[in-house]
Amino acid sequence: DWHHLEQHRFARRVAGAMEQLVRERDVKALVVVAPPRTLADLREALHADVKARIIAEVHKDLTRHPIDEIAQHLTAEH
């Protein structure tokens, strides 16, 4: 299914961007927020260096929420 293929490609692109960010900015900790299926794809695609910096995962789709609501969701979770 084309939709699922694109989801996998998206996860690989995000994983690559996260790796670049970790290396360029020496990121020490990451919180990953994504829908469960995307989170699973990300886990498979992430480099070990990036995985080692993940301190929390939030299994939610917050893409349609404004920034202030996202902050509320994250602080309510942790």
Side-chain angles (χ1 to χ4, degrees):
D1 161 348
W2 289 107
H3 183 70
H4 291 294
L5 286 173
E6 185 52 37
Q7 285 178 331
H8 292 299
R9 286 186 194 125
F10 174 74
R12 287 195 304 271
R13 286 192 307 268
V14 170
M18 289 172 70
E19 182 177 354
Q20 182 177 358
L21 184 68
V22 163
R23 296 192 192 298
E24 289 177 358
R25 298 193 183 180
D26 194 29
V27 173
K28 303 291 186 214
L30 292 167
V31 175
V32 180
V33 181
R37 180 174 285 172
T38 303
L39 198 52
D41 287 344
L42 277 173
R43 281 190 204 113
E44 289 181 23
L46 288 171
H47 189 276
D49 289 346
V50 178
K51 286 181 184 180
R53 289 169 171 80
I54 295 175
I55 60 169
E57 293 179 345
V58 179
H59 305 257
K60 286 191 175 188
D61 183 353
L62 301 177
T63 55
R64 295 189 184 354
H65 295 277
I67 299 285
D68 60 329
E69 283 184 24
I70 293 172
Q72 288 173 354
H73 280 283
L74 295 178
T75 56
E77 290 286 326
H78 301 284

